[in-house]
């Protein structure tokens, strides 16, 4: 699947068209999509615990689909949401320690 030349924006557009063709965008709602995202996160957790990379890749993709659908149902743009999150984190200083805890670097007084 690597190198197939499709951009994130193209895949997002195709996913939105798919969701609209199946009535998901019109008939679902943000909460229903959040619950679907949680189901997919549980599948991702299980795949990680099993060490199954194929199932992990499938779950990550499914999570993205539910996020696209959830944003569409909430009349939000996923890329803009992603951009907003990046703007919040881009200047944070710190590191992830060996226990997988992010340690914030304190700002000088």
């Amino acid at each position: 699947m690597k190198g197939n030349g499709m951009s994130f924006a193209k895949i997002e557009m195709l996913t939105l068209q798919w969701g609209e063709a199946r009535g998901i965008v019109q008939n679902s709602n943000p909460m229903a999509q959040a619950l679907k995202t949680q189901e997919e996160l549980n599948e991702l957790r299980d795949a990680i615990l099993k060490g199954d990379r194929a199932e992990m890749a499938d779950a990550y993709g499914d999570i993205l689909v539910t996020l696209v659908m959830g944003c569409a149902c909430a009349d939000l743009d996923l890329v803009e949401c992603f951009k907003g999150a990046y703007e919040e984190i881009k200047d944070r200083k710190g590191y992830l320690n060996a226990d997988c805890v992010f340690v914030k670097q304190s700002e000088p007084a």
Side-chain angles (χ1 to χ4, degrees), residues 18-29 33 69 73:
W18 173 88
E20 288 171 349
R22 285 153 185 81
I24 296 169
V25 175
Q26 305 90 316
N27 298 317
S28 191
N29 60 63
Q33 291 306 305
M69 294 298 104
C73 290

Side-chain angles (χ1 to χ4, degrees), residues 59-78:
Y60 278 120
D62 289 347
I63 290 164
L64 284 168
V65 169
T66 64
L67 294 176
V68 169
M69 294 298 104
C71 282
C73 290
D75 196 26
L76 295 169
D77 181 289
L78 179 63

Side-chain angles (χ1 to χ4, degrees), residues 9-82:
K10 175 71 172 174
I11 296 168
E12 181 187 21
M13 182 192 66
L14 292 170
T15 302
L16 283 168
Q17 290 172 348
W18 173 88
E20 288 171 349
R22 285 153 185 81
I24 296 169
V25 175
Q26 305 90 316
N27 298 317
S28 191
N29 60 63
M31 181 55 75
Q33 291 306 305
L35 293 172
K36 189 64 180 164
T37 300
Q38 186 62 58
E39 288 177 31
E40 300 300 345
L41 284 167
N42 292 340
E43 290 181 16
L44 174 61
R45 180 203 57 224
D46 294 345
I48 291 169
L49 289 172
K50 291 190 296 188
D52 188 327
R53 290 182 53 81
E55 284 187 33
M56 286 171 57
D58 181 66
Y60 278 120
D62 289 347
I63 290 164
L64 284 168
V65 169
T66 64
L67 294 176
V68 169
M69 294 298 104
C71 282
C73 290
D75 196 26
L76 295 169
D77 181 289
L78 179 63
V79 174
E80 287 300 313
C81 295
F82 193 22

